[in-house]
């Protein structure tokens, strides 16, 4: 079967439905109140006026609203709103915008960013739906690629004065940092955000680089297919996951995101188009992942797909003691029967290890649709198994499972909206959550950014599984952030920037630390440099979206640059793109 085009439903499950439900509930409540004769509300005042007009009303006070001119009655809610807004602005004025943005960020996030994020999502939803209906993407793809080639050739004709980079604004990406180079380099506009083709015979999906994981799951799961590795956050893009990297709880079977890709299509530094696969232009195929757009512009990728089932049968197992945690986690990561393996470490010796398999059956009473907006945040739900020290088994709809960390942005949202997991907040406003990372970045300002830099860590370190225990001790000593995300993956022995030390595939683990460091006298630079040194010493890798404090020599000690540098020279990249280190190092981003 071949399906062309794509459309995505927004990441919050179905906010439109959610919004519809709450609107329906609101009007039902209004009707009830009217029937019950609740005074003091505008719509009740209208009913009171009607009674007064018919002479059946009670006291004079009750008849009073009838005497008010209709326009004045309608103005009252608007006036109340205006007074609230005025008081809010006054408060901002007295305290200072910076104070409010830093210390009471939730006010800004809840009032402005949540609604804005929703509008953003609806726009992309409608756009993707229209593209899907018109099936315009495949038709326009070649023309769009030609346009990118034209931009590159023009840059060349104009004397190749600066390096090139993608024109996607830095604030739109998931990475918390914005590249300074966007302002100085020639921005090549890449408007490629559609799924081009799903070929279930070849078991391949062909996509453009700005397609997001939310888009992919919406289309593929609806036709019974999925990606073998589907990174959790809805907004992650195919281009970013190939040129950076991507991982998921099925990576112990399938490897990193790059390892499920079968072909890349690129526009090179001279404007030419090239397709590379493991057997055709294979050097380039292996050099592209992790190169961050410094070998060429990705314009399409072919990715393997596998049949999907409706649910994930997920087992939760609390484990106490670091040694037991590492042993259990290693054991489960080696078992190929497990489709998914993930661990959440809540302290150095307390974890919940989750293992899952896809299934079409559900045991009665065990279905848990964790993605619904009113459900507890996933990491909090998991923590309950630890607190009550009991094992659990749940059936989770596949798409809910994939995006289980989206609503709470892993556990980052608790620092921004501290009451975000409160049931009242979830039921009332949960359908608007989470705010878009891009909008959070866009509005954080310089002070907040610096504050985050010094008091907040977002890092993923990939280390061999055999070093897990040592690595967790090091994380505790250097940064002390919990929960910690544990995600195993198999690293094949292939050429390129990232591969194991020996000639055989090796089991690795991604250790993700997101949050406020609790070590005394945390100093971002020295603490992170210490951690980076450890990772290098065990032949590990740092994800390139994160703050990187290594110098150039240290960076090339961590990554194998042999194939990469050879290709940069061969393809004339040295004058066209910065070296990957110059794009991702601390000095290059703010
Ligand atoms: C809060 C947070 C949560 C995260 N969660 C996860 C997770 O759940 N799973 C996971 O695997 N990873 C996760 N990551 C890391 C993520 O994998 C990286 O940030 C990744 O690079 C994807 O981000 P992006 O889609 O915004 O890509 P971008 O940041 O836009 O791109 C990454 C790099 O690729 C280059 N690039 C992108 N498109 C092209 C193109 N068409 N041509 C040439 N170069 C291109 C860009 O120039 C850039 O250098 C997370 C990161 C953060 C900050």
């Amino acid at each position: 079967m071949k399906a062309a085009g794509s459309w995505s439903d927004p990441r919050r499950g179905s906010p439109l439905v959610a919004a519809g439900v709450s609107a329906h509930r609101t009007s039902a409540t209004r009707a009830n109140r009217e029937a019950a004769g609740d005074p003091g509300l505008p719509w009740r005042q209208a009913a009171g006026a009607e009674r007064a007009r018919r002479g059946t009303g009670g006291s004079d006070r009750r008849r009073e609203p009838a005497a008010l001119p209709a326009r004045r009655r309608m103005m009252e809610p608007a006036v109340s709103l205006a007074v609230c807004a005025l008081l809010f602005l006054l408060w901002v004025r007295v305290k200072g915008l910076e104070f409010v943005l830093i210390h009471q960020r939730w006010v800004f996030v809840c009032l402005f960013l949540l609604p804005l994020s929703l509008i953003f999502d609806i726009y992309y939803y409608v756009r993707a739906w229209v593209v899907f209906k018109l099936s315009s993407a495949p038709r326009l793809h070649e023309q769009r690629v030609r346009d990118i080639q034209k931009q590159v050739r023009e840059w060349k004709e104009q004397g190749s004065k600066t390096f090139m980079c993608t024109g996607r604004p830095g604030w739109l990406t998931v990475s918390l940092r914005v590249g300074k180079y966007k302002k100085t380099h020639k921005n090549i506009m890449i408007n490629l955000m559609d799924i081009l083709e799903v070929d279930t015979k070849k078991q391949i999906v062909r996509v453009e680089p700005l397609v997001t994981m939310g888009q992919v799951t919406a289309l593929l799961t609806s036709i019974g297919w999925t990606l073998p590795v589907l990174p959790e956050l809805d907004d992650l893009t195919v281009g970013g996951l190939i040129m950076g990297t991507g991982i998921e709880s099925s990576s112990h079977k399938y490897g990193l995101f790059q390892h499920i890709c079968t072909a890349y299509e690129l526009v090179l530094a001279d404007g030419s188009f090239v397709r590379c696969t493991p057997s055709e232009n294979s050097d380039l195929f292996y050099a592209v992942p992790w190169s961050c757009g410094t070998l060429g512009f990705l314009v399409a990728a072919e990715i393997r797909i596998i049949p999907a089932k409706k649910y994930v049968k997920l087992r939760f197992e609390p484990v106490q003691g670091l040694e037991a945690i590492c042993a259990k986690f290693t054991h489960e990561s080696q078992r190929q029967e497990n489709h998914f393996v993930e661990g959440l470490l809540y302290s150095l010796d307390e974890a919940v290890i989750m293992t899952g398999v896809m299934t079409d059956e559900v045991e009665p009473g065990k279905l848990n649709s964790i993605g619904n907006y009113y459900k507890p945040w996933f990491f909090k739900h998991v923590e309950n198994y630890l607190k009550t020290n009991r094992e659990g088994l749940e059936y989770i709809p596949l798409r809910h499972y994939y995006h289980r960390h989206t609503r709470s942005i892993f556990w980052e949202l608790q620092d921004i909206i501290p009451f975000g997991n409160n049931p009242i907040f979830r039921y009332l406003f949960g359908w608007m959550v989470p705010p878009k990372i891009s909008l959070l970045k866009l509005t954080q300002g310089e002070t907040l950014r610096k504050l985050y830099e010094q008091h907040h860590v977002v890092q993923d370190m990939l280390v061999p599984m055999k070093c897990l225990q040592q690595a967790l001790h090091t994380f505790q000593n250097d940064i002390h952030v919990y929960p910690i995300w544990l995600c195993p993956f198999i690293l094949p022995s292939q050429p390129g920037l990232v591969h194991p030390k020996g000639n055989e595939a090796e089991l690795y683990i991604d250790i993700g630390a997101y949050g406020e460091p609790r070590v005394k006298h945390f100093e971002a630079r020295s603490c992170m440099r210490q951690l980076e040194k450890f990772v290098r010493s065990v032949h590990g890798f740092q994800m390139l979206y994160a703050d990187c404090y290594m110098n150039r020599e240290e960076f090339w000690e961590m990554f194998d640059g042999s194939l990469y540098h050879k290709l940069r020279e061969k393809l004339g990249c040295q004058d066209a793109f910065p070296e990957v280190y110059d794009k991702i190092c601390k000095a290059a981003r703010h």
Side-chain angles (χ1 to χ4, degrees), residues 273-500:
F273 171 88
V274 67
R275 182 173 187 274
C276 54
T277 69
S279 52
E280 180 190 357
N281 299 311
S282 63
D283 272 1
L284 184 57
F285 179 79
Y286 290 116
V288 158
W290 294 69
S291 67
C292 290
T294 57
L295 290 171
F297 294 109
L298 187 73
V299 292
E302 285 175 20
I303 311 172
R304 272 177 61 199
I305 54 173
I306 55 171
K309 294 192 174 163
K310 288 186 194 144
Y311 308 99
V312 174
K313 179 181 176 184
L314 195 64
R315 204 172 280 284
F316 301 80
E317 197 172 333
V319 188
Q320 318 279 345
L322 185 57
E323 214 162 296
I325 292 170
C326 295
K328 172 81 181 157
F329 197 73
T330 309
H331 172 70
E332 294 297 351
S333 306
Q334 284 163 342
R335 290 184 62 208
Q336 292 300 299
E337 307 91 277
N338 286 327
H339 204 120
F340 303 103
V341 180
E342 177 185 27
L344 295 188
L345 194 74
Y346 291 90
S347 75
L348 191 57
D349 53 9
E350 291 174 307
V352 177
I353 292 172
M354 286 159 277
T355 52
V357 287
M358 280 201 239
T359 175
D360 281 326
E361 317 299 329
V362 177
E363 287 176 50
K366 292 196 173 163
L367 177 67
N368 187 3
S369 304
I370 54 166
N372 288 345
Y373 68 90
Y374 48 81
K375 287 280 182 172
W377 286 347
F378 184 67
F379 77 98
K380 286 288 180 194
H381 174 61
V382 176
E383 194 178 16
N384 264 333
Y385 283 104
L386 188 70
K387 283 185 177 160
T388 52
N389 197 21
R390 69 192 161 94
E391 292 183 12
L393 180 71
E394 294 178 7
Y395 290 79
I396 299 174
L398 183 64
R399 195 152 181 258
H400 291 217
Y401 175 80
Y402 280 141
H403 300 301
R404 65 202 175 279
H405 293 301
T406 294
R407 283 193 302 129
S408 51
I409 320 180
F410 285 81
W411 27 97
E412 289 286 61
L413 202 59
Q414 65 181 353
D415 289 341
I416 299 168
I417 308 178
F419 46 84
N421 194 40
N422 183 297
I424 301 173
F425 182 84
R426 279 190 268 121
Y427 274 90
L428 289 177
F429 304 109
W431 50 275
M432 283 200 281
V433 166
K436 287 199 97 63
I437 292 177
S438 44
L439 294 180
L440 283 170
K441 260 165 46 185
L442 187 67
T443 55
Q444 71 181 355
E446 190 57 16
T447 316
L448 194 61
R449 191 190 61 72
K450 284 205 173 122
L451 215 73
Y452 262 115
E453 198 170 303
Q454 276 312 316
H455 302 284
H456 200 89
V457 160
V458 180
Q459 287 283 349
D460 282 83
M461 297 292 191
L462 319 183
V463 298
M465 183 68 94
K466 58 184 182 234
C467 309
L468 177 58
Q469 198 166 334
Q470 192 190 357
L472 292 176
H473 273 296
T474 311
F475 267 72
Q476 159 115 344
N477 294 339
D478 290 346
I479 52 174
H480 198 142
V481 169
Y482 292 102
I484 276 181
W485 190 51
L486 299 178
C487 184
F489 68 99
I490 188 79
L491 187 59
S493 175
Q494 290 177 349
L497 286 160
V498 170
H499 57 77

Side-chain angles (χ1 to χ4, degrees), residues 535-555:
V535 173
R536 284 197 307 278
S537 76
V538 295
H539 199 74
F541 308 94
Q542 180 177 34
M543 273 204 194
L544 300 183
Y545 77 84
D547 284 349
C548 166
Y549 292 88
M550 289 184 282
N551 63 33
R552 193 180 304 271
E553 288 69 39
E554 290 163 343
F555 179 85

